[in-house]
Amino acid sequence: MTKGGKDMVPKLTEKERNLQIKKEALISIGLYVVFFLWWYFAGYGLADTSKGYIYIMGLPLWFFLSCVVGYVLFSIAVIVVVKFFFKDFSLDEIADEDSGEEDEG
């Protein structure tokens, strides 16, 4: 639904907005670090050249796990994270802080 031509997204106070932005940034960085570790250890940890390679769908196991499975797995992880941890809110509009604080001055 739209009201006045704008989507109905919640207005957050500046403090709430900054906390949400920080939370989303930290989750994004954490997810990327986990993805990088997955990619690195699946790629370099399984790429032992002294043994014969194990092939899956014509790709070496280390490549298949690091690039194919990792991509699919973390694409699903991003969808889940966005659905459950991220909020849609306006960056332009700030809600009034009606927390009972008196004006200083």
Side-chain angles (χ1 to χ4, degrees), residues 26-44:
L26 290 174
I27 290 171
S28 298
I29 291 169
L31 196 58
Y32 179 75
V33 167
V34 172
F35 174 67
F36 177 78
L37 292 173
W38 170 279
W39 173 82
Y40 184 84
F41 287 113
Y44 289 106

Side-chain angles (χ1 to χ4, degrees), residues 17-90:
R17 185 172 64 175
N18 289 336
L19 287 173
Q20 183 65 26
I21 290 169
K22 183 178 179 180
K23 177 179 130 181
E24 291 178 9
L26 290 174
I27 290 171
S28 298
I29 291 169
L31 196 58
Y32 179 75
V33 167
V34 172
F35 174 67
F36 177 78
L37 292 173
W38 170 279
W39 173 82
Y40 184 84
F41 287 113
Y44 289 106
L46 295 175
D48 187 8
T49 56
S50 64
K51 301 177 188 175
Y53 287 129
I54 299 171
Y55 291 93
I56 298 177
M57 296 174 23
L59 301 170
L61 177 64
W62 64 269
F63 182 84
F64 184 78
L65 288 177
S66 67
C67 295
V68 178
V69 174
Y71 175 76
V72 172
L73 181 70
F74 282 93
S75 293
I76 293 168
V78 166
I79 292 168
V80 169
V81 164
V82 168
K83 183 166 181 74
F84 292 108
F85 296 104
F86 286 24
K87 287 184 183 178
D88 186 17
F89 61 93
S90 175

